[in-house]
Amino acid sequence: MGMPDPNGPWSTDGLPDLPPEWGRVVVPDDASTLAQEAAQVRRELHEARRATRLRSFRRTLTLPLLILIVAVLTTLAGLVTVTWPRAERPATRPSAPAAEPAADPVGRPLPALDLVDETEAPVPVRSLLPAVILLVDACPCPERVIEAAGAAPPGVRVVTVVGGGTVPASPDPDPVPGVRRLADPAGGMRALTHTAPVPGTVGALLVDRTGTVVRVVPVVGSVEDYRGELTRLAG
């Protein structure tokens, strides 16, 4: 304990081992006078500990938070990439080759077609040349058949051809003499003209003795439509 000092209530004179930088230490008679200073010191120590814990918490939280943010951003980027609407590229399709125009049969050889007669026996069409072949699948038109038979020169056959596998009964009780009535099961004669049947009309195909198609008349108005070629078939 210090000794009484005339300059104060207590004196540090005689206290051993006190650091000189402390200066003069005065101990008051009433310790309650130090309560304010003690409270201030406690507050400072509490704030220092709090700041230390906060810095430690921030350091602990920073790395996991960064990892979480990176993971979230990566996931969002993947979702955007998958769901973002893309402009559809038109599929490249090979262009279909342009359909070749049907070959004109005129000047070409007549195919080796087999027709059938009333007994359904096969009849090679080339065995009937030279001939004017009347396509009567859209109309029997006996007047067209009669005028063809009357205009045909000797040696030129008149052949009527109907589609299907059966030769129908003659619409005329007195068939025109010299006319061969046949059916075309495969439809080859009509296909050769590249025309469709026109109801109420007759088509004509003129073929010479060498088997060459001379003339195609899709719709016959009268025998005058092909009389000139019909006369030359006998030559």
Side-chain angles (χ1 to χ4, degrees):
M1 296 295 295
M3 299 299 293
D5 191 322
N7 297 325
W10 293 92
S11 174
T12 58
D13 294 343
L15 292 177
D17 302 324
L18 293 176
E21 60 269 15
W22 285 14
R24 184 181 181 84
V25 177
V26 178
V27 179
D29 294 331
D30 187 0
S32 64
T33 60
L34 299 176
Q36 184 177 1
E37 295 182 3
Q40 177 66 27
V41 171
R42 284 193 298 272
R43 283 195 300 271
E44 292 177 356
L45 291 175
H46 177 71
E47 291 177 359
R49 287 194 298 271
R50 183 178 178 184
T52 301
R53 287 196 301 270
L54 184 58
R55 286 194 297 271
S56 177
F57 175 74
R58 287 176 178 174
R59 286 195 298 270
T60 303
L61 184 62
T62 299
L63 183 58
L65 185 59
L66 287 176
I67 294 174
L68 179 61
I69 291 174
V70 171
V72 171
L73 291 177
T74 303
T75 303
L76 289 177
L79 289 175
V80 170
T81 302
V82 171
T83 60
W84 191 265
R86 299 179 180 178
E88 300 251 346
R89 293 185 179 180
T92 302
R93 298 180 181 178
S95 56
E100 295 184 0
D104 186 355
V106 176
R108 295 174 178 270
L110 180 71
L113 301 174
D114 282 344
L115 307 179
V116 295
D117 61 14
E118 291 89 342
T119 64
E120 298 186 6
V123 178
V125 70
R126 285 186 173 181
S127 66
L128 305 174
L129 304 179
V132 52
I133 302 171
L134 300 177
L135 304 179
V136 295
D137 45 0
C139 174
C141 297
E143 65 278 9
R144 300 283 84 83
V145 178
I146 293 172
E147 63 184 12
V156 176
R157 295 178 182 269
V158 176
V159 180
T160 62
V161 177
V162 65
T166 305
V167 178
S170 174
D172 191 338
D174 296 321
V176 181
V179 175
R180 190 71 183 272
R181 301 173 63 247
L182 302 173
D184 184 8
M189 294 303 301
R190 174 61 71 175
L192 183 64
T193 66
H194 308 299
T195 60
V198 177
T201 65
V202 171
L205 195 72
L206 285 81
V207 186
D208 66 16
R209 67 178 64 256
T210 65
T212 301
V213 178
V214 175
R215 176 82 186 276
V216 173
V217 184
V219 176
V220 175
S222 73
V223 71
E224 301 304 325
D225 293 340
Y226 57 89
R227 185 184 291 274
E229 291 81 3
L230 184 59
T231 302
R232 289 197 294 272
L233 291 182

